[in-house]
Amino acid sequence: MWKKWIGKKNTDFATIDGCDGVDLSRLPRHIAIIMDGNGRWAQKQGLLRTLGHRAGVESLKEVVRAASNIGVQAITAYAFSTENWKRPDEEVSFLMNLFSEYIDRELDELDSENIKIRFIGRIDELSNVLQTKFENAQTRTVNNTGLILNLAVNYGSRDEITRAVKIIAQKVVGNEISVNSINETMIDHYLDTAGVPQLDLIIRPGGDYRISNFLLWQAAYAEFWYTDINWPDFKPCHLYAAILEYQKRDRRFGGLNKNSTL
Ligand code: IPE
Ligand code: IPE
Ligand code: MG
């Protein structure tokens, strides 16, 4: 169980169960989560894989609320990759229905918690019904000023970068911009995560140690945190553990530690 943080200043230490010691003045601004291990979680208990996905939605709800309460600026959650179409049709349909149900059930609460929802990935390839739901959720929460929740659905980072390159190439062909004006800031601007704070931390539950085509550009200097815990068992205390570990890391960005001597 966790208690809502009731601190007044951002610098107050959290009083939420399980996050003792998290320094709220040095939180990762943007956390990405590869929500993995749903199927294995279910299969270990002799349940259908799909029940693992359903349980995973509960983890997402709790973790988003916990992140929002302590003041994290943005969460990007990987829900369905451009490679996940390789799964059996029944699993894909189940997941698409689950996304639709999630919006129907959670939108009011997310909105009341001042959360701004965005969808990243090839949303244009999803069903019309889902596209409309996603657009409505985005429009309804667009002016919210709290946590930004990016849900990555039919997302692949190589696809995202390819789309950005195409937009930029078109602008060069149309003489809107010169090749020399292309820089990192411009590329950032044409990615799906444009306007979201810099990615500081990537969390992967489920016991695998790979990035699976997620936020390749944005991950340049993000810290990684892995756990064997499957996503449906991932609780706010694990989020706090990841943040605590992040706060101990020495982020040098190619430079030297401030204590280094020549
Ligand atoms: C992650 O859980 C959810 C999606 C990829 C849609 P998995 O379904 O990949 O679960 P495992 O990795 O098979 O346990
Ligand atoms: C990554 O999980 C994608 C999501 C969590 C949505 P996968 O289960 O698809 O990743 P791989 O196949 O193990 O790399
Ligand atoms: Mg998996």
Side-chain angles (χ1 to χ4, degrees):
M1 286 293 286
W2 55 275
K3 288 180 269 168
K4 191 170 166 58
W5 179 59
I6 48 158
K8 291 213 172 58
K9 296 196 303 287
N10 221 21
T11 49
D12 286 347
F13 276 71
T15 55
I16 304 161
D17 282 354
C19 76
D20 293 345
V22 170
D23 180 350
L24 297 183
S25 68
R26 292 193 306 116
L27 288 173
R29 287 158 287 188
H30 176 182
I31 301 176
I33 307 176
I34 301 176
M35 304 188 287
D36 198 24
N38 294 350
R40 280 164 286 167
W41 177 89
Q43 282 171 329
K44 265 188 202 157
Q45 305 171 70
L47 301 172
L48 293 171
R49 290 178 53 82
T50 47
L51 289 175
H53 296 313
R54 197 171 279 291
V57 173
E58 297 309 309
S59 295
L60 178 65
K61 289 196 289 201
E62 282 190 62
V63 167
V64 166
R65 194 170 299 128
S68 164
N69 281 340
I70 61 171
V72 172
Q73 294 178 38
I75 294 270
T76 300
Y78 207 3
F80 192 91
S81 74
T82 46
E83 287 71 37
N84 286 147
W85 297 105
K86 293 176 191 159
R87 297 189 178 204
D89 289 350
E90 306 80 66
E91 183 165 341
V92 170
S93 309
F94 182 91
L95 285 163
M96 295 301 150
N97 285 331
L98 196 61
F99 303 146
S100 171
E101 217 178 87
Y102 172 77
I103 295 301
D104 290 344
R105 293 211 179 140
E106 300 305 318
L107 184 57
D108 282 349
E109 194 169 328
L110 290 165
D111 189 27
S112 72
E113 286 171 6
N114 200 20
I115 290 171
K116 180 174 181 166
I117 307 172
R118 305 177 16 152
F119 292 89
I120 65 168
R122 293 300 298 265
I123 304 306
D124 58 317
E125 291 177 350
L126 303 176
S127 74
N128 289 338
V129 174
L130 212 46
Q131 285 185 50
T132 308
K133 273 191 191 176
F134 287 1
E135 272 160 28
N136 288 344
Q138 286 185 154
T139 309
R140 178 156 159 204
T141 62
V142 71
N143 294 320
N144 287 353
T145 52
L147 179 122
I148 298 169
L149 173 60
N150 290 317
L151 290 170
V153 181
N154 195 17
Y155 173 90
S157 190
R158 288 183 167 191
D159 170 75
E160 176 193 37
I161 294 168
T162 306
R163 284 186 281 114
V165 168
K166 281 185 183 165
I167 296 171
I168 293 169
Q170 280 297 343
K171 289 188 184 293
V172 172
V173 170
N175 283 325
E176 285 176 62
I177 58 167
S178 69
V179 168
N180 276 340
S181 68
I182 300 170
N183 56 24
E184 293 184 9
T185 310
M186 184 185 290
I187 294 171
D188 257 333
H189 177 77
Y190 289 108
L191 295 177
D192 295 348
T193 50
V196 180
Q198 183 188 298
L199 183 61
D200 285 325
L201 175 63
I202 301 178
I203 295 175
R204 182 161 190 155
D208 283 314
Y209 307 120
R210 56 176 169 264
I211 199 161
S212 301
N213 201 10
F214 195 38
L215 303 174
L216 301 177
W217 170 278
Q218 298 86 339
Y221 265 107
E223 298 292 325
F224 282 93
W225 191 83
Y226 304 101
T227 173
D228 288 341
I229 292 159
N230 289 318
W231 176 244
D233 284 332
F234 193 101
K235 299 288 164 213
C237 62
H238 302 117
L239 173 75
Y240 307 140
I243 296 175
L244 271 172
E245 166 73 27
Y246 163 87
Q247 291 181 336
K248 288 184 197 145
R249 302 264 177 99
D250 181 15
R251 301 186 81 195
R252 294 184 294 277
F253 297 96
L256 297 178
N257 178 292
K258 56 182 178 308
N259 300 321
S260 300
T261 46
L262 284 177

